[in-house]
Amino acid sequence: MAEPEVLSALHVLEYPYTRSVGPVIGRFLTGLRDGRIAGIRARDGRVVCPPVEYDPVTGEPLDEFVEVADRGVVTTWTWLEQPRSNNPLDTAFAWALIRLDGADTGLLHAVDAGSAENMRTGMRARARWRAERHGHITDIECFEPER
Amino acid sequence: MTDPVTGFTQPVRLEYDYTPGFGRSRFLRALEQGRIQGERCPVCHKVYVGGGSGACARDGVPCDELVELPDRGVVTTFCVVNLPFAGQTIEIPYVSAAVLLDGADIPLLSLMQEVAADEVRMGMRVEAVWAPEDERKPSMDTIRYFRPTGEPDAPIDDVLRRMRDA
């Protein structure tokens, strides 16, 4: 007896969330729109980037913003051979934590290195900015190896 | 633009390949042929419709006896939708109603049309409006909506009692 054909249908679940970002992430995103990257100084003197509203150790509110560079060091990474439709790049790339010059923590972003052979921990990378920026993390299209 | 950034819109999107499974596939294939097919539990004799698992949830046995149901029945409960939302294709206000088909023991959730939202009531007699024959698919969209038949209302208390006691 032939197996009946299995029914299948595409089902899309989509919610257009509008997110309020608050004063600290708002400052970070406003900076991105201007092509600048803001960190914030923690109580122990470290610069946290992206900035956080409260001190990661003491929990006190933070408000001393520090501008950091748009380039830095890859501290860890993973290679994505087959990007999905909602990823920042449609070719193979690395997700990486990038410690920007002037910061003490890593920013998560994509690195467009062409191939995993071009990635290594400790390498330097710089932001590739979009020409049109709207105040969103995607105002940085990706990072690329600094030569 | 110099105003500070205070927020952004972030769509969350999930794409599923939905496979209906045995019971619901059987129901959907009947819809494609313009039929509403229910199934009777051999133990409690309830008639289920809408395509569940193909088994009785109460008795845990397969419902192998297929039952042809008419495309008309009674509104047992309903909800007036007044809120606009993304992807909405129907003019608000509109009504989603649970329709107990004649001979069934469990209602189908359906769109009501050709009636003002404030005229829909429990006990109202309604009938299915089908997609044209060449547009019928194994899909719930094959029944476009339900509309009032104009018949006198069913005695809703009796209908609800029958559902509860069946």
Side-chain angles (χ1 to χ4, degrees), chain A residues 5-22 26 29-30 33 134-136, chain B residues 1-20 25 28-29 86 138:
Chain A
E5 186 193 345
V6 175
L7 294 175
S8 180
L10 176 66
H11 180 67
V12 177
L13 198 59
E14 187 168 18
Y15 300 98
Y17 284 106
T18 299
R19 186 182 157 190
S20 301
V21 291
L29 295 176
T30 303
R33 196 178 58 197
H134 306 283
H136 195 274
Chain B
M1 202 160 40
T2 53
D3 291 342
V5 176
T6 57
F8 57 81
T9 302
Q10 183 70 54
V12 172
R13 182 184 171 92
L14 297 168
E15 291 185 9
Y16 293 92
D17 285 324
Y18 172 74
T19 300
S25 293
L28 292 172
R29 287 185 199 285

mmCIF file of all heavy atoms in Angstrom, chain A residues 5-22 26 29-30 33 134-136, chain B residues 1-20 25 28-29 86 138:
data_model
loop_
_atom_site.group_PDB
_atom_site.id
_atom_site.type_symbol
_atom_site.label_atom_id
_atom_site.label_comp_id
_atom_site.label_asym_id
_atom_site.label_seq_id
_atom_site.Cartn_x
_atom_site.Cartn_y
_atom_site.Cartn_z
ATOM 1 N N GLU A 5 0.679 10.964 0.697
ATOM 2 C CA GLU A 5 1.588 12.113 0.692
ATOM 3 C C GLU A 5 1.398 12.902 1.993
ATOM 4 O O GLU A 5 0.284 13.116 2.446
ATOM 5 C CB GLU A 5 1.249 12.995 -0.512
ATOM 6 C CG GLU A 5 2.212 14.139 -0.716
ATOM 7 C CD GLU A 5 1.673 15.154 -1.709
ATOM 8 O OE1 GLU A 5 0.711 14.808 -2.427
ATOM 9 O OE2 GLU A 5 2.185 16.267 -1.742
ATOM 10 N N VAL A 6 2.483 13.308 2.607
ATOM 11 C CA VAL A 6 2.412 14.027 3.872
ATOM 12 C C VAL A 6 2.119 15.499 3.593
ATOM 13 O O VAL A 6 2.783 16.130 2.778
ATOM 14 C CB VAL A 6 3.737 13.891 4.648
ATOM 15 C CG1 VAL A 6 3.703 14.744 5.905
ATOM 16 C CG2 VAL A 6 4.000 12.437 4.993
ATOM 17 N N LEU A 7 1.102 16.027 4.267
ATOM 18 C CA LEU A 7 0.779 17.447 4.119
ATOM 19 C C LEU A 7 1.807 18.281 4.870
ATOM 20 O O LEU A 7 2.283 17.892 5.930
ATOM 21 C CB LEU A 7 -0.614 17.735 4.683
ATOM 22 C CG LEU A 7 -1.800 17.105 3.953
ATOM 23 C CD1 LEU A 7 -3.078 17.398 4.727
ATOM 24 C CD2 LEU A 7 -1.900 17.640 2.545
ATOM 25 N N SER A 8 2.118 19.451 4.298
ATOM 26 C CA SER A 8 3.054 20.352 4.960
ATOM 27 C C SER A 8 2.708 21.775 4.542
ATOM 28 O O SER A 8 2.318 22.010 3.406
ATOM 29 C CB SER A 8 4.486 20.006 4.557
ATOM 30 O OG SER A 8 5.379 20.882 5.198
ATOM 31 N N ALA A 9 2.829 22.720 5.462
ATOM 32 C CA ALA A 9 2.543 24.119 5.129
ATOM 33 C C ALA A 9 3.516 25.013 5.866
ATOM 34 O O ALA A 9 3.930 24.700 6.983
ATOM 35 C CB ALA A 9 1.107 24.472 5.512
ATOM 36 N N LEU A 10 3.868 26.124 5.225
ATOM 37 C CA LEU A 10 4.714 27.111 5.887
ATOM 38 C C LEU A 10 3.865 27.878 6.899
ATOM 39 O O LEU A 10 2.770 28.325 6.566
ATOM 40 C CB LEU A 10 5.310 28.080 4.860
ATOM 41 C CG LEU A 10 6.144 29.221 5.450
ATOM 42 C CD1 LEU A 10 7.405 28.684 6.123
ATOM 43 C CD2 LEU A 10 6.509 30.234 4.381
ATOM 44 N N HIS A 11 4.351 27.979 8.107
ATOM 45 C CA HIS A 11 3.650 28.728 9.142
ATOM 46 C C HIS A 11 4.616 29.751 9.714
ATOM 47 O O HIS A 11 5.677 29.391 10.210
ATOM 48 C CB HIS A 11 3.171 27.775 10.237
ATOM 49 C CG HIS A 11 2.447 28.458 11.334
ATOM 50 N ND1 HIS A 11 1.224 29.064 11.151
ATOM 51 C CD2 HIS A 11 2.766 28.665 12.626
ATOM 52 C CE1 HIS A 11 0.829 29.593 12.289
ATOM 53 N NE2 HIS A 11 1.744 29.366 13.202
ATOM 54 N N VAL A 12 4.261 31.029 9.603
ATOM 55 C CA VAL A 12 5.150 32.102 10.066
ATOM 56 C C VAL A 12 4.559 32.742 11.306
ATOM 57 O O VAL A 12 3.387 33.102 11.331
ATOM 58 C CB VAL A 12 5.343 33.172 8.969
ATOM 59 C CG1 VAL A 12 6.205 34.315 9.491
ATOM 60 C CG2 VAL A 12 5.964 32.558 7.733
ATOM 61 N N LEU A 13 5.387 32.846 12.321
ATOM 62 C CA LEU A 13 4.999 33.507 13.568
ATOM 63 C C LEU A 13 5.881 34.739 13.679
ATOM 64 O O LEU A 13 7.101 34.615 13.726
ATOM 65 C CB LEU A 13 5.273 32.541 14.723
ATOM 66 C CG LEU A 13 4.597 32.784 16.054
ATOM 67 C CD1 LEU A 13 3.091 32.772 15.916
ATOM 68 C CD2 LEU A 13 5.040 31.701 17.025
ATOM 69 N N GLU A 14 5.271 35.914 13.698
ATOM 70 C CA GLU A 14 6.096 37.129 13.696
ATOM 71 C C GLU A 14 5.479 38.185 14.608
ATOM 72 O O GLU A 14 4.286 38.445 14.542
ATOM 73 C CB GLU A 14 6.208 37.683 12.267
ATOM 74 C CG GLU A 14 7.178 38.843 12.167
ATOM 75 C CD GLU A 14 7.530 39.214 10.728
ATOM 76 O OE1 GLU A 14 6.776 38.807 9.817
ATOM 77 O OE2 GLU A 14 8.531 39.889 10.530
ATOM 78 N N TYR A 15 6.320 38.745 15.461
ATOM 79 C CA TYR A 15 5.884 39.810 16.353
ATOM 80 C C TYR A 15 6.781 41.025 16.158
ATOM 81 O O TYR A 15 7.985 40.928 16.343
ATOM 82 C CB TYR A 15 5.997 39.377 17.819
ATOM 83 C CG TYR A 15 5.182 38.172 18.160
ATOM 84 C CD1 TYR A 15 5.771 36.923 18.207
ATOM 85 C CD2 TYR A 15 3.825 38.287 18.437
ATOM 86 C CE1 TYR A 15 5.020 35.802 18.525
ATOM 87 C CE2 TYR A 15 3.076 37.171 18.759
ATOM 88 C CZ TYR A 15 3.675 35.935 18.805
ATOM 89 O OH TYR A 15 2.948 34.833 19.117
ATOM 90 N N PRO A 16 6.220 42.167 15.775
ATOM 91 C CA PRO A 16 7.044 43.367 15.617
ATOM 92 C C PRO A 16 7.189 44.098 16.949
ATOM 93 O O PRO A 16 6.442 45.022 17.229
ATOM 94 C CB PRO A 16 6.258 44.196 14.595
ATOM 95 C CG PRO A 16 4.842 43.767 14.768
ATOM 96 C CD PRO A 16 4.830 42.400 15.397
ATOM 97 N N TYR A 17 8.111 43.661 17.783
ATOM 98 C CA TYR A 17 8.311 44.302 19.081
ATOM 99 C C TYR A 17 8.917 45.685 18.923
ATOM 100 O O TYR A 17 9.853 45.879 18.150
ATOM 101 C CB TYR A 17 9.275 43.485 19.940
ATOM 102 C CG TYR A 17 8.660 42.257 20.539
ATOM 103 C CD1 TYR A 17 8.977 41.007 20.037
ATOM 104 C CD2 TYR A 17 7.767 42.351 21.597
ATOM 105 C CE1 TYR A 17 8.408 39.871 20.590
ATOM 106 C CE2 TYR A 17 7.198 41.221 22.146
ATOM 107 C CZ TYR A 17 7.527 39.986 21.647
ATOM 108 O OH TYR A 17 6.975 38.869 22.178
ATOM 109 N N THR A 18 8.396 46.653 19.672
ATOM 110 C CA THR A 18 9.051 47.953 19.780
ATOM 111 C C THR A 18 9.695 48.003 21.152
ATOM 112 O O THR A 18 9.016 47.852 22.165
ATOM 113 C CB THR A 18 8.035 49.100 19.613
ATOM 114 O OG1 THR A 18 7.462 48.989 18.318
ATOM 115 C CG2 THR A 18 8.728 50.443 19.742
ATOM 116 N N ARG A 19 10.992 48.163 21.146
ATOM 117 C CA ARG A 19 11.728 48.071 22.395
ATOM 118 C C ARG A 19 12.201 49.449 22.832
ATOM 119 O O ARG A 19 12.820 50.177 22.055
ATOM 120 C CB ARG A 19 12.938 47.142 22.194
ATOM 121 C CG ARG A 19 13.652 46.908 23.482
ATOM 122 C CD ARG A 19 14.878 46.043 23.352
ATOM 123 N NE ARG A 19 15.734 46.341 24.484
ATOM 124 C CZ ARG A 19 16.961 45.936 24.620
ATOM 125 N NH1 ARG A 19 17.505 45.195 23.683
ATOM 126 N NH2 ARG A 19 17.660 46.256 25.675
ATOM 127 N N SER A 20 11.891 49.822 24.075
ATOM 128 C CA SER A 20 12.441 51.043 24.654
ATOM 129 C C SER A 20 13.805 50.700 25.217
ATOM 130 O O SER A 20 13.954 49.683 25.887
ATOM 131 C CB SER A 20 11.549 51.565 25.782
ATOM 132 O OG SER A 20 10.262 51.813 25.288
ATOM 133 N N VAL A 21 14.797 51.551 24.953
ATOM 134 C CA VAL A 21 16.161 51.129 25.267
ATOM 135 C C VAL A 21 16.716 51.750 26.544
ATOM 136 O O VAL A 21 17.732 51.292 27.056
ATOM 137 C CB VAL A 21 17.107 51.421 24.084
ATOM 138 C CG1 VAL A 21 16.783 50.508 22.928
ATOM 139 C CG2 VAL A 21 17.042 52.872 23.665
ATOM 140 N N GLY A 22 16.065 52.803 27.070
ATOM 141 C CA GLY A 22 16.564 53.407 28.288
ATOM 142 C C GLY A 22 17.736 54.332 28.012
ATOM 143 O O GLY A 22 18.254 54.395 26.889
ATOM 144 N N GLY A 26 20.417 53.732 25.022
ATOM 145 C CA GLY A 26 20.019 54.829 24.131
ATOM 146 C C GLY A 26 21.217 55.690 23.755
ATOM 147 O O GLY A 26 21.384 56.088 22.592
ATOM 148 N N LEU A 29 23.346 53.702 21.287
ATOM 149 C CA LEU A 29 22.771 53.652 19.937
ATOM 150 C C LEU A 29 22.826 55.025 19.261
ATOM 151 O O LEU A 29 23.058 55.122 18.055
ATOM 152 C CB LEU A 29 21.327 53.146 19.999
ATOM 153 C CG LEU A 29 21.159 51.699 20.482
ATOM 154 C CD1 LEU A 29 19.681 51.334 20.590
ATOM 155 C CD2 LEU A 29 21.871 50.726 19.551
ATOM 156 N N THR A 30 22.609 56.078 20.048
ATOM 157 C CA THR A 30 22.717 57.428 19.490
ATOM 158 C C THR A 30 24.144 57.652 18.979
ATOM 159 O O THR A 30 24.357 58.227 17.907
ATOM 160 C CB THR A 30 22.362 58.484 20.556
ATOM 161 O OG1 THR A 30 21.044 58.210 21.037
ATOM 162 C CG2 THR A 30 22.393 59.887 19.970
ATOM 163 N N ARG A 33 24.749 55.945 15.663
ATOM 164 C CA ARG A 33 24.179 56.714 14.548
ATOM 165 C C ARG A 33 25.167 57.786 14.075
ATOM 166 O O ARG A 33 25.245 58.113 12.903
ATOM 167 C CB ARG A 33 22.861 57.355 14.992
ATOM 168 C CG ARG A 33 21.998 57.837 13.841
ATOM 169 C CD ARG A 33 20.705 58.414 14.360
ATOM 170 N NE ARG A 33 20.955 59.515 15.274
ATOM 171 C CZ ARG A 33 20.067 60.011 16.128
ATOM 172 N NH1 ARG A 33 18.865 59.482 16.193
ATOM 173 N NH2 ARG A 33 20.379 61.010 16.920
ATOM 174 N N HIS A 134 20.894 54.461 11.668
ATOM 175 C CA HIS A 134 19.587 54.767 12.255
ATOM 176 C C HIS A 134 19.565 54.632 13.772
ATOM 177 O O HIS A 134 18.501 54.768 14.378
ATOM 178 C CB HIS A 134 18.532 53.833 11.655
ATOM 179 C CG HIS A 134 18.502 53.871 10.153
ATOM 180 N ND1 HIS A 134 17.910 54.898 9.458
ATOM 181 C CD2 HIS A 134 19.018 53.039 9.213
ATOM 182 C CE1 HIS A 134 18.046 54.682 8.159
ATOM 183 N NE2 HIS A 134 18.724 53.562 7.983
ATOM 184 N N GLY A 135 20.704 54.340 14.393
ATOM 185 C CA GLY A 135 20.684 54.142 15.838
ATOM 186 C C GLY A 135 20.360 52.707 16.201
ATOM 187 O O GLY A 135 19.457 52.438 16.996
ATOM 188 N N HIS A 136 21.065 51.780 15.595
ATOM 189 C CA HIS A 136 20.835 50.356 15.818
ATOM 190 C C HIS A 136 22.197 49.669 15.723
ATOM 191 O O HIS A 136 23.104 50.178 15.068
ATOM 192 C CB HIS A 136 19.885 49.819 14.737
ATOM 193 C CG HIS A 136 19.294 48.476 15.059
ATOM 194 N ND1 HIS A 136 19.943 47.306 14.757
ATOM 195 C CD2 HIS A 136 18.128 48.131 15.650
ATOM 196 C CE1 HIS A 136 19.182 46.288 15.162
ATOM 197 N NE2 HIS A 136 18.088 46.756 15.703
ATOM 198 N N MET B 1 19.323 64.366 11.741
ATOM 199 C CA MET B 1 18.565 63.837 12.884
ATOM 200 C C MET B 1 19.438 63.912 14.131
ATOM 201 O O MET B 1 20.523 63.373 14.171
ATOM 202 C CB MET B 1 18.170 62.389 12.607
ATOM 203 C CG MET B 1 17.001 61.954 13.420
ATOM 204 S SD MET B 1 16.135 60.512 12.760
ATOM 205 C CE MET B 1 17.458 59.451 12.181
ATOM 206 N N THR B 2 18.939 64.625 15.145
ATOM 207 C CA THR B 2 19.767 64.812 16.339
ATOM 208 C C THR B 2 19.082 64.318 17.607
ATOM 209 O O THR B 2 19.706 64.289 18.655
ATOM 210 C CB THR B 2 20.109 66.308 16.525
ATOM 211 O OG1 THR B 2 18.889 67.048 16.509
ATOM 212 C CG2 THR B 2 21.023 66.806 15.425
ATOM 213 N N ASP B 3 17.821 63.936 17.535
ATOM 214 C CA ASP B 3 17.150 63.453 18.735
ATOM 215 C C ASP B 3 17.832 62.182 19.233
ATOM 216 O O ASP B 3 18.239 61.343 18.442
ATOM 217 C CB ASP B 3 15.682 63.115 18.439
ATOM 218 C CG ASP B 3 14.867 64.370 18.159
ATOM 219 O OD1 ASP B 3 15.350 65.454 18.535
ATOM 220 O OD2 ASP B 3 13.791 64.262 17.558
ATOM 221 N N PRO B 4 17.940 62.031 20.552
ATOM 222 C CA PRO B 4 18.530 60.791 21.067
ATOM 223 C C PRO B 4 17.678 59.578 20.690
ATOM 224 O O PRO B 4 16.457 59.691 20.582
ATOM 225 C CB PRO B 4 18.525 60.979 22.591
ATOM 226 C CG PRO B 4 18.069 62.350 22.857
ATOM 227 C CD PRO B 4 17.537 62.956 21.599
ATOM 228 N N VAL B 5 18.326 58.441 20.518
ATOM 229 C CA VAL B 5 17.621 57.203 20.203
ATOM 230 C C VAL B 5 16.969 56.673 21.483
ATOM 231 O O VAL B 5 17.642 56.512 22.500
ATOM 232 C CB VAL B 5 18.603 56.156 19.630
ATOM 233 C CG1 VAL B 5 17.888 54.820 19.401
ATOM 234 C CG2 VAL B 5 19.223 56.665 18.330
ATOM 235 N N THR B 6 15.668 56.428 21.447
ATOM 236 C CA THR B 6 14.973 55.935 22.637
ATOM 237 C C THR B 6 14.431 54.519 22.456
ATOM 238 O O THR B 6 13.964 53.911 23.412
ATOM 239 C CB THR B 6 13.795 56.859 23.001
ATOM 240 O OG1 THR B 6 12.921 56.929 21.859
ATOM 241 C CG2 THR B 6 14.290 58.256 23.350
ATOM 242 N N GLY B 7 14.456 54.017 21.223
ATOM 243 C CA GLY B 7 13.919 52.669 21.017
ATOM 244 C C GLY B 7 14.108 52.221 19.590
ATOM 245 O O GLY B 7 14.612 52.974 18.759
ATOM 246 N N PHE B 8 13.728 50.985 19.336
ATOM 247 C CA PHE B 8 13.747 50.479 17.963
ATOM 248 C C PHE B 8 12.743 49.343 17.845
ATOM 249 O O PHE B 8 12.286 48.790 18.844
ATOM 250 C CB PHE B 8 15.149 50.035 17.533
ATOM 251 C CG PHE B 8 15.775 48.987 18.402
ATOM 252 C CD1 PHE B 8 15.457 47.647 18.249
ATOM 253 C CD2 PHE B 8 16.695 49.359 19.389
ATOM 254 C CE1 PHE B 8 16.047 46.681 19.061
ATOM 255 C CE2 PHE B 8 17.282 48.394 20.203
ATOM 256 C CZ PHE B 8 16.960 47.058 20.033
ATOM 257 N N THR B 9 12.387 49.055 16.609
ATOM 258 C CA THR B 9 11.454 47.961 16.348
ATOM 259 C C THR B 9 12.239 46.724 15.966
ATOM 260 O O THR B 9 13.126 46.787 15.123
ATOM 261 C CB THR B 9 10.481 48.338 15.219
ATOM 262 O OG1 THR B 9 9.800 49.520 15.609
ATOM 263 C CG2 THR B 9 9.464 47.230 14.991
ATOM 264 N N GLN B 10 11.939 45.646 16.659
ATOM 265 C CA GLN B 10 12.701 44.415 16.447
ATOM 266 C C GLN B 10 11.723 43.292 16.135
ATOM 267 O O GLN B 10 11.119 42.730 17.043
ATOM 268 C CB GLN B 10 13.506 44.089 17.717
ATOM 269 C CG GLN B 10 14.392 42.883 17.589
ATOM 270 C CD GLN B 10 15.566 43.156 16.665
ATOM 271 O OE1 GLN B 10 16.302 44.109 16.848
ATOM 272 N NE2 GLN B 10 15.711 42.335 15.636
ATOM 273 N N PRO B 11 11.514 42.993 14.859
ATOM 274 C CA PRO B 11 10.598 41.882 14.579
ATOM 275 C C PRO B 11 11.210 40.562 15.020
ATOM 276 O O PRO B 11 12.400 40.322 14.788
ATOM 277 C CB PRO B 11 10.442 41.909 13.053
ATOM 278 C CG PRO B 11 11.186 43.101 12.574
ATOM 279 C CD PRO B 11 12.143 43.516 13.659
ATOM 280 N N VAL B 12 10.416 39.757 15.700
ATOM 281 C CA VAL B 12 10.839 38.400 16.028
ATOM 282 C C VAL B 12 10.073 37.485 15.085
ATOM 283 O O VAL B 12 8.852 37.510 15.049
ATOM 284 C CB VAL B 12 10.504 38.065 17.490
ATOM 285 C CG1 VAL B 12 10.767 36.600 17.775
ATOM 286 C CG2 VAL B 12 11.311 38.948 18.412
ATOM 287 N N ARG B 13 10.778 36.720 14.283
ATOM 288 C CA ARG B 13 10.130 35.938 13.226
ATOM 289 C C ARG B 13 10.589 34.491 13.281
ATOM 290 O O ARG B 13 11.783 34.211 13.325
ATOM 291 C CB ARG B 13 10.498 36.560 11.880
ATOM 292 C CG ARG B 13 9.850 35.871 10.685
ATOM 293 C CD ARG B 13 10.358 36.503 9.402
ATOM 294 N NE ARG B 13 9.949 35.761 8.243
ATOM 295 C CZ ARG B 13 8.842 36.004 7.541
ATOM 296 N NH1 ARG B 13 8.051 36.988 7.903
ATOM 297 N NH2 ARG B 13 8.541 35.275 6.497
ATOM 298 N N LEU B 14 9.633 33.600 13.304
ATOM 299 C CA LEU B 14 9.938 32.172 13.299
ATOM 300 C C LEU B 14 9.198 31.532 12.131
ATOM 301 O O LEU B 14 7.998 31.759 11.950
ATOM 302 C CB LEU B 14 9.472 31.522 14.602
ATOM 303 C CG LEU B 14 10.147 32.035 15.869
ATOM 304 C CD1 LEU B 14 9.410 31.555 17.101
ATOM 305 C CD2 LEU B 14 11.589 31.582 15.912
ATOM 306 N N GLU B 15 9.896 30.761 11.333
ATOM 307 C CA GLU B 15 9.274 30.089 10.204
ATOM 308 C C GLU B 15 9.216 28.587 10.484
ATOM 309 O O GLU B 15 10.245 27.969 10.742
ATOM 310 C CB GLU B 15 10.069 30.343 8.915
ATOM 311 C CG GLU B 15 9.972 31.784 8.458
ATOM 312 C CD GLU B 15 10.658 32.015 7.123
ATOM 313 O OE1 GLU B 15 11.067 31.042 6.471
ATOM 314 O OE2 GLU B 15 10.785 33.204 6.760
ATOM 315 N N TYR B 16 8.021 28.057 10.453
ATOM 316 C CA TYR B 16 7.837 26.632 10.704
ATOM 317 C C TYR B 16 7.388 25.918 9.429
ATOM 318 O O TYR B 16 6.621 26.472 8.656
ATOM 319 C CB TYR B 16 6.735 26.401 11.735
ATOM 320 C CG TYR B 16 7.052 26.876 13.125
ATOM 321 C CD1 TYR B 16 6.704 28.153 13.530
ATOM 322 C CD2 TYR B 16 7.681 26.040 14.028
ATOM 323 C CE1 TYR B 16 6.978 28.590 14.813
ATOM 324 C CE2 TYR B 16 7.950 26.461 15.306
ATOM 325 C CZ TYR B 16 7.600 27.739 15.696
ATOM 326 O OH TYR B 16 7.857 28.164 16.958
ATOM 327 N N ASP B 17 7.843 24.685 9.233
ATOM 328 C CA ASP B 17 7.200 23.781 8.293
ATOM 329 C C ASP B 17 6.234 22.957 9.122
ATOM 330 O O ASP B 17 6.658 22.116 9.911
ATOM 331 C CB ASP B 17 8.235 22.866 7.608
ATOM 332 C CG ASP B 17 9.020 23.629 6.567
ATOM 333 O OD1 ASP B 17 8.429 24.491 5.899
ATOM 334 O OD2 ASP B 17 10.233 23.376 6.436
ATOM 335 N N TYR B 18 4.975 23.227 8.961
ATOM 336 C CA TYR B 18 3.957 22.588 9.791
ATOM 337 C C TYR B 18 3.455 21.311 9.108
ATOM 338 O O TYR B 18 3.034 21.330 7.958
ATOM 339 C CB TYR B 18 2.803 23.552 10.031
ATOM 340 C CG TYR B 18 1.632 22.919 10.719
ATOM 341 C CD1 TYR B 18 1.694 22.619 12.080
ATOM 342 C CD2 TYR B 18 0.487 22.589 10.021
ATOM 343 C CE1 TYR B 18 0.635 22.011 12.717
ATOM 344 C CE2 TYR B 18 -0.579 21.977 10.653
ATOM 345 C CZ TYR B 18 -0.500 21.690 11.995
ATOM 346 O OH TYR B 18 -1.553 21.082 12.619
ATOM 347 N N THR B 19 3.504 20.209 9.814
ATOM 348 C CA THR B 19 2.969 18.941 9.323
ATOM 349 C C THR B 19 1.806 18.543 10.220
ATOM 350 O O THR B 19 1.974 18.423 11.434
ATOM 351 C CB THR B 19 4.059 17.851 9.352
ATOM 352 O OG1 THR B 19 5.132 18.274 8.525
ATOM 353 C CG2 THR B 19 3.521 16.535 8.831
ATOM 354 N N PRO B 20 0.602 18.385 9.652
ATOM 355 C CA PRO B 20 -0.579 18.233 10.498
ATOM 356 C C PRO B 20 -0.730 16.882 11.184
ATOM 357 O O PRO B 20 -1.494 16.781 12.130
ATOM 358 C CB PRO B 20 -1.749 18.502 9.548
ATOM 359 C CG PRO B 20 -1.220 18.403 8.170
ATOM 360 C CD PRO B 20 0.255 18.560 8.220
ATOM 361 N N SER B 25 -4.655 15.580 9.060
ATOM 362 C CA SER B 25 -4.506 15.410 7.613
ATOM 363 C C SER B 25 -5.786 14.806 7.027
ATOM 364 O O SER B 25 -6.257 15.228 5.968
ATOM 365 C CB SER B 25 -3.318 14.497 7.294
ATOM 366 O OG SER B 25 -2.117 15.116 7.662
ATOM 367 N N LEU B 28 -8.330 17.520 6.822
ATOM 368 C CA LEU B 28 -8.020 18.534 5.800
ATOM 369 C C LEU B 28 -8.257 17.987 4.386
ATOM 370 O O LEU B 28 -8.724 18.707 3.505
ATOM 371 C CB LEU B 28 -6.570 19.020 5.952
ATOM 372 C CG LEU B 28 -6.295 19.831 7.225
ATOM 373 C CD1 LEU B 28 -4.793 20.087 7.382
ATOM 374 C CD2 LEU B 28 -7.058 21.151 7.218
ATOM 375 N N ARG B 29 -7.927 16.715 4.177
ATOM 376 C CA ARG B 29 -8.146 16.131 2.842
ATOM 377 C C ARG B 29 -9.645 16.051 2.521
ATOM 378 O O ARG B 29 -10.054 16.213 1.368
ATOM 379 C CB ARG B 29 -7.519 14.745 2.763
ATOM 380 C CG ARG B 29 -6.012 14.795 2.688
ATOM 381 C CD ARG B 29 -5.435 13.406 2.486
ATOM 382 N NE ARG B 29 -4.036 13.368 2.847
ATOM 383 C CZ ARG B 29 -3.053 13.884 2.116
ATOM 384 N NH1 ARG B 29 -3.339 14.465 0.976
ATOM 385 N NH2 ARG B 29 -1.800 13.817 2.524
ATOM 386 N N ALA B 86 -0.753 43.340 13.573
ATOM 387 C CA ALA B 86 0.056 43.174 12.362
ATOM 388 C C ALA B 86 -0.413 41.962 11.577
ATOM 389 O O ALA B 86 -0.664 40.904 12.147
ATOM 390 C CB ALA B 86 1.517 43.020 12.747
ATOM 391 N N PRO B 138 -6.348 21.334 0.981
ATOM 392 C CA PRO B 138 -6.379 20.713 2.315
ATOM 393 C C PRO B 138 -5.961 21.751 3.355
ATOM 394 O O PRO B 138 -4.884 21.686 3.945
ATOM 395 C CB PRO B 138 -5.376 19.562 2.192
ATOM 396 C CG PRO B 138 -4.470 19.964 1.082
ATOM 397 C CD PRO B 138 -5.242 20.848 0.155
#
